[in-house]
Amino acid sequence: MSAVTTLKRKARLADAIRAAKPGETILIPPGEYHESLVLDRPVTLRAEHGPGSVRLTAAVTVRAADCVLQDVTVRGEDPSRPVVSVGADGGLALRGCTVRDGHVEASGAAVLLLERCELSGPVPYAIRVYGEARAEADDLRIGPVAGSAVLIADDAVFTAHRLRTHATRGSAVRVRGRARLRLVDARLDGSSRAGLRVEDDGVATATDTVIHAGAVGLQLSDAASVQLEGCRIDGASASAIVVADRAQLSAVDCVIRRAGANALLATGTGRAVLTDCRLDDARYSAVHAAASAVVQLARVRVRGGAEHGVHAVEGSRVEMVDCDLRELAMNGVHSEARAAVAAQGCRVSETEVGLRLASSVPAEITECVVQRPRRVGVEVATGAAATLIQVRVDAPGVAGMVLDSAEPIRVEGGSISDSAGSGLVCWTDARPDVTGLRIDGARKNGVYVAEGGGGTYTRCEVRASGYAAVHVGARAQPVFDGCRLLDVPAEMTVDEGAAPRMSGSPAPAPVSPGLPAPPPVPGAPLDPEPAEENLEDLLGELGELVGLERVKRDVHTMVKLMQTVRLREEAGLPAPPLSRHLVFAGNPGTGKTTVARLYGRLLKALGLLRRGHLVEVDRSALVGEYVGHTGPKTTAAVTRALGGVLFIDEAYSLVPQNGGNDFAQEAIATLVKLMEDHRDDVVVIAAGYPDEMGRFIGANPGLASRFTRTLEFDDYVAEELVSIVEHQAAGHRYEMTADARTALTGMFDAMPRGAGFGNGRLARQVFQEMTERQAQRVAELADVSAAELVVLDLADLPPHRTGSH
């Protein structure tokens, strides 16, 4: 056991050190000591009465290995000079110490250990490790300081567990030269420059680390290399991560939120690889790639943001796999100049344009989905080239795809559904090669070929367009080969001077386009409000729905009540109390969304809503994942629904059964306030399982006072499910035999009605399975008649669904 000596009162520490044997412990009585110390032998200096009892105003120089300074407060007299210096082959452990007005440094081949220490003061850095020194820290707190908390340079190595820095006027941690840094469970708060800055050939790894409210979260330059895992960068006033020069970044399972500029800015020849990361609410584009930088994104989610999700410019390259980008003020992906973009299996939703490709380097987009863009799903701009393979665009606000370039454009497979304007727009001088594209439910033309346009369209399908399936402008010369045009008001309208060809046939004679087809040109305004609908027609449409007799009666009653309210208002009489908000209680597949959409249209026809559109949301669209996120998300959802109906599916999920204290309560409170603020301009429908909706209504007194009426959606009986199948069959030109109908009724009747029963959704699935089985059956016949192609027979019923389960 090493010797222990207690320093005598009024004795000098320096004398005790000189008299100590190697390995001896010197206990320091309480008091203030003003002397410089040199530890030239392995000794331990420990405050006898614990932390705060000994205050040493001095410079401590360590020249021997295995020295310890414990529970002592050390204060420097000159903030520009080190207060503790470990040099040459010295080694020091600082345990439970407080260091003020001077920094701690280790140089040469020194070894420095800091445990449970605190450092602060007007110093250029609190800790400096350079040369070939090695330093480790555990539970280290630094700040405020006038410069950096930690500076590592040359070939030094620094490892820190639970490092905490705050209020640093320089970068919190700075790595230079060939130094190496490892951070575990660190938190770097409020630096005036970068939270972590790595320069030269420095290498840093950070695990489970938080960088909060700095100017830049992480800054890499020169040939630096950084690896992040499980880290969070939140509230940077500039860009959260900057990768410049030849620097390399790898980030796995990281979250980057509320960047004042980009979440990730890559420039120079830098490379950034992000995997399973999330980028939320950047004030500029979430990812900005410039110069010759390369950015690789795998399973990255981008939520919210004031600009683009991914912006690639100059000669950069962005590669994306299985990424999800949504709720962006501008475009999901935007490329320009000579930037290269490759995306596979990505999903983009609720943006201005889903993918805007304006680069001369061909973009490669494969198996991507664009949902609900406010304008265009995919735009290939002038001078750009692109290959689009199996790209799906759902519910675009203006057009599904706009091809506006004379450069090579190839579209292979994919679909465009429910476009508010035309499905595919081929603009002047564009000559795309389009194969196997399906366009369904476009409110204007399925394919619009503008004046002077062209291209080849092979085995494409246009179904249920609002205008002619195809419109061909003057001087356009498109070629259509093997295309199918189904359920359309007209197959083609052709302007004078156009020369389309279909399956090698001569062009049809020019005809007057009896259905006008103004093209959704890039930059054109959104469609005007839809035409007024007749109340009686809408009620007739309600009556045609299968089943739902109680719901139909309730809706008719509410319509009559609202008509009376409107008449009283027009007569100057006070209106009786009326809440238009509803609870839809029913199991999945019972038609709740269909009736909600019809309800909005009825209210518009009654003059009680401006637009009558439906905005469908669930818990994920309302509830955020961190403080300050939920209110804006809920507000954004209600804002989209103004003038129409906000439909909250599975609303009970906002009130967990275990009563958890998450952000859902904030969503409910925000919703109640907005329902009051916009009580005349929005209707809210809360939907879910019957047994669960009572918990939702009881979660907040404001909900109970606003949701005073519940519509109960009963499960469909077997005959009603068969009617749904027959309706689907008629819409797709199939006919069901009497034997098949009888067997199908028995099959539905025998099915258990548990929680997973799909109701109308199940009926639609059964119809799809029947058509698939019929196709296989007919394909095996040697000689098939036209009648056999449309018949669904007993053999086409799915066998695994028959009988009881």
Side-chain angles (χ1 to χ4, degrees):
M1 180 180 295
S2 61
V4 177
T5 300
T6 300
L7 186 70
K8 296 181 180 179
R9 293 177 59 83
K10 298 185 179 180
R12 286 169 47 84
L13 279 170
D15 294 336
I17 293 168
R18 280 193 294 270
K21 296 178 180 179
E24 188 171 349
T25 297
I26 302 171
L27 299 180
I28 309 174
E32 296 196 18
Y33 299 81
H34 296 266
E35 54 180 309
S36 294
L37 303 179
V38 176
L39 306 185
D40 55 2
R41 65 199 66 195
V43 295
T44 296
L45 302 180
R46 190 175 76 204
E48 184 179 15
H49 291 180
S53 62
V54 173
R55 296 175 297 280
L56 175 63
T57 302
V60 179
T61 302
V62 180
R63 295 175 181 167
D66 300 324
C67 295
V68 178
L69 192 60
Q70 183 171 340
D71 298 336
V72 173
T73 297
V74 184
R75 184 180 296 275
E77 296 180 308
D78 183 354
S80 65
R81 298 181 60 80
V83 66
V84 176
S85 178
V86 186
D89 296 320
L92 174 67
L94 287 170
R95 296 193 174 101
C97 293
T98 300
V99 180
R100 302 277 187 264
D101 301 335
H103 66 273
V104 176
E105 73 173 25
S107 61
V111 175
L112 173 65
L113 175 65
L114 302 104
E115 297 178 352
R116 308 182 310 282
C117 294
E118 296 183 6
L119 296 84
S120 63
V123 293
Y125 26 76
I127 296 174
R128 181 187 179 205
V129 185
Y130 61 103
E132 297 179 351
R134 302 291 184 268
E136 293 187 14
D138 198 349
D139 286 324
L140 176 62
R141 284 167 167 73
I142 303 177
V145 294
S148 295
V150 179
L151 173 63
I152 314 155
D154 302 331
D155 293 292
V157 177
F158 185 82
T159 301
H161 292 75
R162 292 176 293 281
L163 169 66
R164 303 290 186 265
T165 73
H166 71 279
T168 56
R169 298 189 64 181
S171 298
V173 179
R174 189 172 182 181
V175 182
R176 303 186 64 180
R178 295 176 300 278
R180 288 174 288 164
L181 166 73
R182 181 168 180 251
L183 297 177
V184 179
D185 188 18
R187 183 175 179 110
L188 314 179
D189 277 344
S191 57
S192 296
R193 295 187 180 176
L196 172 59
R197 182 176 180 181
V198 186
E199 306 165 75
D200 303 324
D201 295 296
V203 176
T205 63
T207 305
D208 298 330
T209 290
V210 176
I211 301 176
H212 182 261
V216 175
L218 168 63
Q219 184 170 349
L220 291 74
S221 59
D222 304 312
S225 175
V226 173
Q227 292 184 347
L228 306 179
E229 183 172 354
C231 296
R232 188 169 82 244
I233 302 177
D234 194 353
S237 59
S239 291
I241 299 177
V242 177
V243 180
D245 303 325
R246 307 180 308 283
Q248 308 273 323
L249 168 71
S250 171
V252 178
D253 193 24
C254 296
V255 177
I256 303 169
R257 293 173 170 159
R258 300 183 301 168
N262 306 113
L264 169 66
L265 169 61
T267 186
T269 58
R271 177 183 293 269
V273 180
L274 273 60
T275 306
D276 294 316
C277 294
R278 179 159 180 168
L279 318 179
D280 287 347
D281 299 318
R283 296 190 64 183
Y284 292 1
S285 296
V287 175
H288 184 91
S292 299
V294 175
V295 175
Q296 296 174 311
L297 309 174
R299 299 180 300 282
V300 170
R301 294 182 295 166
V302 177
R303 296 290 188 277
E307 291 188 357
H308 309 297
V310 174
H311 191 191
V313 302
E314 298 174 344
S316 63
R317 179 173 181 82
V318 177
E319 301 170 3
M320 306 169 60
V321 177
D322 295 335
C323 295
D324 192 317
L325 299 81
R326 61 181 61 190
E327 300 171 21
L328 297 160
M330 297 176 72
N331 306 329
V333 176
H334 184 107
S335 67
E336 52 187 296
R338 303 176 313 284
V341 170
Q344 180 175 358
C346 297
R347 183 180 296 269
V348 180
S349 58
E350 298 173 43
T351 64
E352 190 73 3
V353 175
L355 309 171
R356 187 175 191 276
L357 311 173
S359 168
S360 59
V361 176
E364 301 172 3
I365 312 297
T366 306
E367 296 178 348
C368 293
V369 177
V370 180
Q371 295 180 310
R372 300 181 298 282
R374 292 182 291 277
R375 298 191 57 75
V376 176
V378 180
E379 179 184 346
V380 183
T382 303
T387 297
L388 311 174
I389 299 176
Q390 296 297 341
V391 174
R392 191 180 96 206
V393 179
D394 295 338
V398 172
M401 295 183 184
V402 174
L403 312 181
D404 187 22
S405 176
E407 299 300 315
I409 301 173
R410 180 163 65 96
V411 179
E412 184 177 315
S415 64
I416 300 169
S417 62
D418 299 323
S419 175
S422 293
L424 175 67
V425 176
C426 173
W427 207 241
T428 302
D429 296 329
R431 301 288 187 273
D433 181 2
V434 183
T435 303
L437 178 66
R438 301 187 314 278
I439 303 171
D440 191 2
R443 283 170 54 185
K444 293 184 179 178
N445 302 111
V447 176
Y448 183 97
V449 183
E451 179 179 353
T456 301
Y457 306 82
T458 306
R459 298 188 304 280
C460 296
E461 179 179 296
V462 177
R463 182 186 295 270
S465 58
Y467 296 167
V470 177
H471 177 81
V472 183
R475 298 186 295 103
Q477 298 181 349
V479 177
F480 298 92
D481 186 3
C483 296
R484 301 177 66 200
L485 312 176
L486 308 172
D487 300 328
V488 294
E491 289 189 350
M492 181 180 292
T493 54
V494 181
D495 286 346
E496 187 174 355
R501 287 189 296 127
M502 298 189 70
S503 300
S505 301
V511 297
S512 172
L515 292 168
V521 298
L526 293 174
D527 288 342
E529 294 292 329
E532 295 293 331
E533 294 185 288
N534 181 275
L535 181 61
E536 293 305 318
D537 290 342
L538 293 173
L539 291 174
E541 188 175 333
L542 175 67
E544 292 174 0
L545 297 178
V546 174
L548 305 176
E549 298 307 322
R550 274 203 297 181
V551 171
K552 293 175 185 177
R553 288 196 301 271
D554 288 343
V555 172
H556 273 276
T557 299
M558 287 187 293
V559 167
K560 291 177 182 178
L561 177 59
M562 289 181 224
Q563 286 176 311
T564 303
V565 168
R566 186 175 179 186
L567 289 172
R568 288 180 62 89
E569 289 177 339
E570 291 174 350
L573 297 172
L578 174 65
S579 175
R580 300 175 298 178
H581 310 299
L582 299 173
V583 173
F584 281 9
N587 292 322
T590 49
K592 297 187 293 294
T593 305
T594 300
V595 174
R597 186 173 288 108
L598 192 54
Y599 182 62
R601 294 162 60 197
L602 283 166
L603 292 180
K604 182 178 186 297
L606 287 166
L608 299 177
L609 283 177
R610 291 183 291 113
R611 298 179 60 195
H613 66 297
L614 184 80
V615 173
E616 185 175 356
V617 298
D618 57 13
R619 175 189 167 94
S620 65
L622 302 177
V623 179
E625 298 183 1
Y626 56 89
V627 174
H629 192 206
T630 295
K633 286 191 73 169
T634 304
T635 301
V638 175
T639 300
R640 293 198 304 274
L642 289 179
V645 175
L646 179 68
F647 182 83
I648 307 175
D649 197 17
E650 297 182 349
Y652 53 83
S653 64
L654 295 173
V655 188
Q657 282 186 317
N658 59 12
N661 185 24
D662 64 2
F663 300 118
Q665 290 296 328
E666 181 186 352
I668 291 175
T670 304
L671 179 65
V672 169
K673 180 180 184 302
L674 293 172
M675 289 171 70
E676 176 61 25
D677 293 345
H678 303 286
R679 58 184 176 274
D680 295 326
D681 199 31
V682 71
V683 167
V684 179
I685 295 177
Y689 290 107
D691 295 340
E692 304 282 359
M693 292 307 295
R695 188 172 80 245
F696 169 72
I697 298 302
N700 184 296
L703 294 176
S705 65
R706 287 167 175 81
F707 291 99
T708 58
R709 183 185 292 268
T710 298
L711 272 60
E712 296 183 2
F713 287 70
D714 297 326
D715 286 342
Y716 290 109
V717 299
E719 290 77 10
E720 291 170 339
L721 293 171
V722 173
S723 295
I724 294 173
V725 174
E726 289 185 316
H727 179 76
Q728 291 282 311
H732 292 80
R733 299 184 183 179
Y734 286 95
E735 297 175 0
M736 193 157 52
T737 65
D739 288 344
R741 192 186 196 287
T742 301
L744 188 59
T745 303
M747 185 186 80
F748 284 136
D749 211 20
M751 285 183 177
R753 300 300 179 99
F757 187 71
N759 282 290
R761 187 179 305 125
L762 169 66
R764 290 187 289 272
Q765 290 171 350
V766 167
F767 167 70
Q768 181 177 345
E769 291 183 56
M770 291 179 68
T771 60
E772 292 171 354
R773 290 176 58 81
Q774 189 252 25
Q776 293 176 359
R777 176 173 59 81
V778 170
E780 296 173 358
L781 300 177
D783 187 17
V784 182
S785 67
E788 289 174 311
L789 289 173
V790 300
V791 170
L792 296 175
D793 204 348
L794 188 62
D796 301 322
L797 264 66
H800 63 281
R801 294 190 183 274
T802 58
S804 59
H805 293 260

